[in-house]
Amino acid sequence: MTYPDPRYLGDHGEISAVHRPADTAPDIVSGTQRTHYLATHAATGGEFGLYRLDMSPRAPGAATHFHRTISESFFVLSGAVRLYNGERWTTCRTGDFLYVPVGGLHAFRNASDDPASMLLLFAPGAPREEYFERVAEMSLRGGRDLDEFRLRHDSYFVDGAPES
């Protein structure tokens, strides 16, 4: 294995790091979830997207789905999160990690009576912000609008997947 071709061609490096303090307010507060945009696709030049999802007790999360263009990874920061790997549900706790390759079935929810928090990593980076901002509204709207919204955001939901 070799490293990718260089993309930075300077000789001395540059000042370009971005800091986001831990006490920054969430970017979205919606029902049972708070979403923090840690590193958007725009901020990383499309390399990845990193988000923190804070879930209230019994937060429903996302039903079983897959993505055609991006992988998704989950890292549990606190609490207990039910993660589905396409075959079975597992209760994941602080420090547990799940990687879902492109096309991999997955789902998540907080089935506990306590809050939970996790990191979501999408690679390569995709413009997920609109998805997070409008998914609740579009789910209520349903029908063709919801179908088109999901397709635009590379989210293909699967009927009949087992519940946790």
Side-chain angles (χ1 to χ4, degrees):
M1 181 180 132
T2 61
Y3 279 84
D5 291 336
R7 294 184 301 161
Y8 173 75
L9 302 175
D11 293 326
H12 304 289
E14 62 186 21
I15 299 170
S16 56
V18 177
H19 173 249
R20 181 181 166 102
D23 62 355
T24 301
D27 294 279
I28 302 171
V29 176
S30 175
T32 60
Q33 299 180 155
R34 292 169 311 286
T35 306
H36 300 259
Y37 297 170
L38 302 179
T40 65
H41 80 288
T44 67
E47 291 183 26
F48 66 92
L50 181 64
Y51 307 86
R52 187 177 91 213
L53 185 62
D54 298 327
M55 296 180 288
S56 298
R58 302 284 169 195
T64 303
H65 64 286
F66 66 94
H67 307 289
R68 294 182 188 273
T69 64
I70 53 178
S71 66
E72 188 170 357
S73 296
F74 302 85
F75 183 82
V76 179
L77 296 170
S78 64
V81 179
R82 296 281 291 162
L83 295 175
Y84 181 63
N85 69 1
E87 184 177 28
R88 68 182 174 278
W89 286 91
T90 303
T91 298
C92 296
R93 301 189 187 286
T94 302
D96 286 346
F97 174 78
L98 176 69
Y99 167 67
V100 182
V102 174
L105 293 170
H106 60 286
F108 66 88
R109 64 177 43 113
N110 180 0
S112 78
D113 292 326
D114 297 310
S117 182
M118 67 180 170
L119 294 177
L120 304 176
L121 174 72
F122 297 94
R128 298 300 286 174
E129 299 79 35
E130 182 194 22
Y131 183 83
F132 294 133
E133 292 163 7
R134 298 193 62 209
V135 68
E137 166 202 344
M138 297 307 287
S139 295
L140 289 174
R141 198 180 288 184
R144 185 180 175 108
D145 288 344
L146 177 59
D147 292 342
E148 290 173 1
F149 177 78
R150 287 175 169 173
L151 287 176
R152 188 168 64 251
H153 291 286
D154 187 25
S155 294
Y156 299 86
F157 285 79
V158 178
D159 292 331
E163 296 298 317
S164 62

